[in-house]
Amino acid sequence: QVQLVESGGGLVQAGGSLSLSCAASGRTFSNYRVGWFRQAPGKSRNFVADISWSSGSTRYADSVKGRFTISRDNAKNTVSLQMNSLNPEDTAVYYCAAKWIFESDYDVWGQGTQVTVSS
């Protein structure tokens, strides 16, 4: 079973950038799809972006298209989320998640990392 560890959260001013990283331990991301989700205070957890480890195909939530970029590093076995043009509405705990390609739902989750965007 793959285990996930996120890093890179923090505090940034509106308009700024942050990069999050998700590292896998226990096995590689081969045959997995890896995604980022976020949960703002008092709200449900929502999809942000994901990537197929094998093909590199990506998907994004409409709210982050053109501002966020998800990518993978095969050598480091990590998935990154580059976040640009951040605004206070992006403030949330960001979670890395993974699922085997034939699974319908994400079932492996990291512990989360806080991203706070000040106005």
Side-chain angles (χ1 to χ4, degrees):
Q1 177 85 339
V2 66
Q3 291 148 356
L4 308 175
V5 178
E6 303 101 333
S7 61
L11 173 65
V12 65
Q13 287 189 328
S17 299
L18 276 177
S19 182
L20 305 181
S21 182
C22 176
S25 63
R27 59 158 295 157
T28 68
F29 279 133
S30 295
N31 296 316
Y32 274 75
R33 194 164 189 97
V34 183
W36 288 94
F37 292 73
R38 66 186 181 184
Q39 186 168 20
K43 296 187 177 181
S44 59
R45 187 157 53 188
N46 292 321
F47 171 79
V48 174
D50 68 4
I51 186 167
S52 165
W53 190 260
S54 58
S55 71
S57 66
T58 59
R59 300 181 298 191
Y60 294 92
D62 288 343
S63 59
V64 307
K65 280 181 182 176
R67 300 189 298 124
F68 291 10
T69 303
I70 190 169
S71 61
R72 71 195 195 290
D73 186 323
N74 293 52
K76 296 181 179 179
N77 205 37
T78 59
V79 171
S80 297
L81 185 69
Q82 177 64 39
M83 306 184 293
N84 299 327
S85 302
L86 286 161
N87 58 62
E89 289 70 39
D90 295 314
T91 295
V93 177
Y94 282 71
Y95 297 90
C96 179
K99 68 181 186 78
W100 190 51
I101 56 174
F102 295 113
E103 292 287 343
S104 57
D105 297 322
Y106 280 89
D107 58 355
V108 181
W109 295 86
Q111 81 285 356
T113 185
Q114 177 70 45
V115 171
T116 303
V117 184
S118 63
S119 57

